[in-house]
Amino acid sequence: MKTQARAKAPKTQYVAITEDVQQVNKEVEKAYTLMVDAATNLLKRFDIAKFRTFALMDHTKNEQNTNLVKEFICYHWNITLSMSPKDGKFYIFIDLGHEAIEKFGSMLTNNLLRECYQLTQSNDNTIGIEYALRVNYLPADQLHNFYYRRIVEGETGYVSIGTVEKEAA
């Protein structure tokens, strides 16, 4: 008598998201939007358009994507809103590029991070959304390669490119 191995049920990429998680995700997405606004505002001080140019990606419109939700990338930073496949919670990742810090110093990045931490901090001693902010440091050209590729590929159904107007002196 032959024994047959049981076929394993395929794992699904979908997670049941509770109403509480949905509410927290809305707060994280709101913080992400405010972070992108702050990052965009910080770009206004640069004379050269390359340093004021950014790409916005709405990954929900990309059928090949599974975890990314939205993304902002510029010469200086990459700010990504993503969803954990394990629990359905949103997270914000800020990738800092080595070259931009080396070229312009840390003040610009410090201003952005100060704003980001302020947006996610808990003011009432609850957990809030502090868990959601993750900061990464990218050595060498990882950030710039991704940035330039996005700009060169141009706008698509889910990528838009913009340049902030220079701040008046």
Side-chain angles (χ1 to χ4, degrees), residues 3 11 25 47-48 57 66 82-83 90 93 97 103 108 115 119 126 130 133 137 143 148-149 154 160 166:
T3 58
K11 290 186 176 184
N25 283 351
D47 292 327
I48 300 172
M57 287 143 286
T66 56
S82 66
M83 182 176 66
F90 282 4
F93 292 90
K103 188 174 206 154
L108 184 73
E115 183 76 24
L119 289 167
T126 61
E130 287 181 347
L133 185 60
Y137 179 75
L143 178 67
Y148 289 128
R149 189 175 79 231
S160 60
K166 173 151 177 35

Side-chain angles (χ1 to χ4, degrees), residues 39-40 43 50-55 72-79 95 143-144 147-148 151:
T40 305
L43 300 178
K50 170 173 98 169
F51 302 130
R52 292 183 281 116
T53 300
F54 61 90
F72 167 91
I73 188 166
C74 67
Y75 181 87
H76 311 278
W77 321 286
N78 183 3
I79 305 172
D95 297 321
L143 178 67
H144 289 140
Y147 166 70
Y148 289 128
I151 300 303

Side-chain angles (χ1 to χ4, degrees), residues 113-121 123:
L113 290 176
R114 190 173 292 113
E115 183 76 24
C116 294
Y117 283 119
Q118 194 172 37
L119 289 167
T120 56
Q121 79 181 9
N123 294 321

Side-chain angles (χ1 to χ4, degrees), residues 12-17 21 67 83-89 91:
T12 178
Q13 66 183 16
Y14 300 105
V15 175
I17 300 175
V21 170
N67 297 339
M83 182 176 66
S84 168
K86 293 179 183 177
D87 58 11
K89 289 183 178 178
Y91 290 85

Side-chain angles (χ1 to χ4, degrees), residues 127-140:
I127 294 173
I129 61 171
E130 287 181 347
Y131 77 89
L133 185 60
R134 309 290 170 96
V135 178
N136 301 309
Y137 179 75
L138 296 180

